Amino acid sequence: MPKAEETILEIDLKALKHNFEFVKSKLKSDTKFLAVVKAFAYGSDAVEIAKYLESLGVDYFAVAYTDEGVALREAGIQTPILVLHPQPKNFKTLIKRRLEPSIYSLRVMENFIAIAKENKQKDYPIHLKFNTGLNRLGLNETEINSVSTQLILAESIKVESLFSHLAASEDENERAFTLNQIKQFKTIAKKMSNILGYEPVLHQSNTSGIFNYPDAHFNMVRSGIALYGFGNDAKFNRSLKPIATLKTIISQIHTLKKGDSLGYNRAFIATNLTKTATLPIGHADGISRQYGNKKGFVFINGKKAHIIGNVCMDMIMVDITNISCQEGDEVIVFGPHHTAENLASSIHSISYELLTNTSQRIKRVFYR
Ligand SMILES: *Cc1c(COP(=O)(O)O)cnc(C)c1O
């Protein structure tokens, strides 16, 4: 790959294929694969990622909001798309674009049925989301009777799947809690299948659920972070490849004398002769202010350079006193070796947050 000449996010589609195949290798051959491409495919590029995964034969996509699904349809994606967190306001658009809603409450179900009927739909696919302990979104088991009264009357919709979401699938200390969530979901699935007279597709596992709870794969799994190269566990990280490398460049080098200050509010004062490099990436690009003042670091010519002073909107300054480098040299903010997880952990954050913060103004470059 050529050296970066400006700030870019490189995306390695071969790594994506590797990750897709690695997750698939954990599944039974008839388990469906839903790829989660919400939030611009975890800060990369939802359209390019979805196109590539569609070519690899993925069964389903999920996004969080309706407009994310619309963007995929506009780009020509044909695979079914589950919208995890739609609002009644979106239902007309959702139907027009053949997007499939997660129905997470009785209120949302009533609204959707009314709009599906108004739009003369028959057997429109919906996905019933049940709460089994995350207490975030979902119908409760106690609402099954009210759900079924509405469903049986409604010809406009058809329950395509039943699903739930695990709260702590990456946390071995919460194994008992997770097993209980799985048990509860099985009970709900049985009750609902009896009411419906058929068994819809069942799914409960995100990435860590897939890796840690093979008994919770059911008919489909929903993988996000693993596709992008992270497994929430050193053991799985070793088998996955981060797909995104955030690169930038040294715009200018300064030499500070003892007592000189650097950046806004003079947050850094040199105690010795200090060489600094100014880089064209800042909090507007996704490098939060919390990385400033020696918390976060980047790599230049294989050496670690700490961010010093405050993070600006479009710039950071890093300490290169002991690094041999020049203006124009490439800088790695995160990538396969200095990972997003590694950088995020310096401010007690997680790969998910750092990746999804990657601003839309950074150019994406794809490698196949
Ligand atoms: C985001 C999300 C996922 C994907 O989780 P990963 O840990 O990234 O695999 C799966 N299911 C739901 C409901 C989600 O919101």
Side-chain angles (χ1 to χ4, degrees):
M1 292 173 194
K3 292 270 171 204
E5 295 176 283
E6 61 182 333
T7 303
I8 56 168
L9 188 75
E10 279 180 3
I11 297 162
D12 179 355
L13 295 174
K14 273 216 318 265
L16 178 65
K17 181 164 191 258
H18 167 90
N19 297 335
F20 176 69
E21 282 166 1
F22 179 74
V23 175
K24 236 176 139 62
S25 76
K26 302 288 173 197
L27 310 178
K28 293 203 195 76
S29 62
D30 58 350
T31 306
K32 288 182 199 236
F33 196 122
L34 177 153
V36 181
V37 294
K38 62 191 179 191
F40 302 102
Y42 290 44
S44 59
D45 184 304
V47 166
E48 290 301 319
I49 298 293
K51 279 186 180 165
Y52 190 63
L53 289 171
E54 188 167 70
S55 79
L56 296 179
V58 78
D59 298 290
Y60 247 93
F61 289 115
V63 292
Y65 307 143
T66 304
D67 283 350
E68 296 181 296
V70 171
L72 293 181
R73 286 284 182 254
E74 287 197 333
I77 296 294
Q78 304 283 336
T79 303
I81 301 172
L82 164 58
V83 180
L84 294 165
H85 197 171
Q87 301 297 336
K89 180 183 192 303
N90 312 132
F91 286 160
K92 240 180 104 173
T93 308
L94 193 138
I95 290 171
K96 205 169 120 208
R97 299 302 188 136
R98 304 308 290 175
L99 303 169
E100 303 178 10
S102 158
I103 299 294
Y104 49 86
S105 70
L106 290 170
R107 172 183 73 93
V108 164
M109 179 146 98
E110 270 167 36
N111 268 286
F112 190 76
I113 291 173
I115 293 173
K117 219 165 133 185
E118 226 173 86
N119 286 270
K120 307 198 167 41
Q121 295 300 311
K122 195 172 173 310
D123 293 338
Y124 196 94
I126 66 165
H127 302 262
L128 292 183
K129 168 87 177 272
F130 283 92
N131 173 27
T132 53
L134 183 57
N135 292 323
R136 192 174 71 171
L137 280 184
L139 295 149
N140 287 318
E141 192 181 339
T142 52
E143 291 175 299
I144 286 184
N145 286 337
S146 328
V147 170
S148 49
T149 319
Q150 286 200 45
L151 280 176
I152 285 162
L153 294 173
E155 290 186 341
S156 55
I157 55 165
K158 173 162 197 267
V159 179
E160 183 68 25
S161 87
L162 306 173
F163 75 111
S164 184
H165 195 35
L166 298 172
S169 53
E170 71 277 32
D171 189 349
E172 183 56 33
N173 295 322
E174 295 293 355
R175 197 161 186 91
F177 184 88
T178 305
L179 290 172
N180 195 55
Q181 280 197 278
I182 297 168
K183 196 172 137 211
Q184 206 190 332
F185 182 59
K186 285 180 177 167
T187 307
I188 290 167
K190 198 176 246 165
K191 285 188 188 169
M192 282 304 307
S193 300
N194 282 339
I195 290 164
L196 293 168
Y198 63 91
E199 189 170 273
V201 172
L202 307 177
H203 49 115
Q204 189 173 30
S205 287
N206 63 338
T207 291
S208 294
I210 297 167
F211 292 155
N212 299 326
Y213 298 91
D215 192 35
H217 289 183
F218 299 101
N219 317 113
M220 183 157 83
V221 296
R222 303 186 303 270
S223 183
I225 199 76
L227 291 171
Y228 310 108
F230 297 90
N232 300 327
D233 182 307
K235 185 170 90 203
F236 299 114
N237 285 344
R238 275 196 291 279
S239 304
L240 295 164
K241 298 182 179 173
I243 70 160
T245 303
L246 181 54
K247 289 181 170 177
T248 186
I249 182 173
I250 298 178
S251 299
Q252 195 179 21
I253 291 176
H254 289 264
T255 303
L256 309 185
K257 301 184 303 296
K258 184 177 172 186
D260 286 349
S261 65
L262 174 69
Y264 285 134
N265 308 103
R266 307 187 66 210
F268 177 84
I269 309 275
T271 53
N272 293 297
L273 198 72
T274 304
K275 248 174 63 187
T276 70
T278 302
L279 318 178
I281 186 167
H283 61 72
D285 300 292
I287 306 300
S288 139
R289 271 175 60 93
Q290 289 163 279
Y291 289 105
N293 300 304
K294 297 195 181 160
K295 293 253 172 48
F297 48 91
V298 299
F299 275 79
I300 301 174
N301 297 333
K303 293 239 167 80
K304 188 172 186 172
H306 275 101
I307 300 172
I308 48 177
N310 286 323
V311 170
C312 313
M313 188 184 293
D314 320 301
M315 279 173 254
I316 53 176
M317 283 74 84
V318 299
D319 186 348
I320 53 160
T321 308
N322 298 311
I323 301 176
S324 120
C325 57
Q326 296 175 18
E327 292 179 354
D329 279 2
E330 181 176 275
V331 177
I332 305 294
V333 182
F334 60 71
H337 306 293
H338 169 39
T339 64
E341 186 167 286
N342 197 25
L343 176 54
S345 68
S346 70
I347 61 161
H348 309 291
S349 180
I350 55 175
S351 59
Y352 296 76
E353 184 179 41
L354 179 57
L355 293 172
T356 57
N357 276 351
T358 309
S359 146
Q360 289 302 301
R361 77 174 176 178
I362 296 175
K363 187 171 176 182
R364 271 67 173 163
V365 179
F366 297 89
Y367 292 92
R368 277 155 218 278

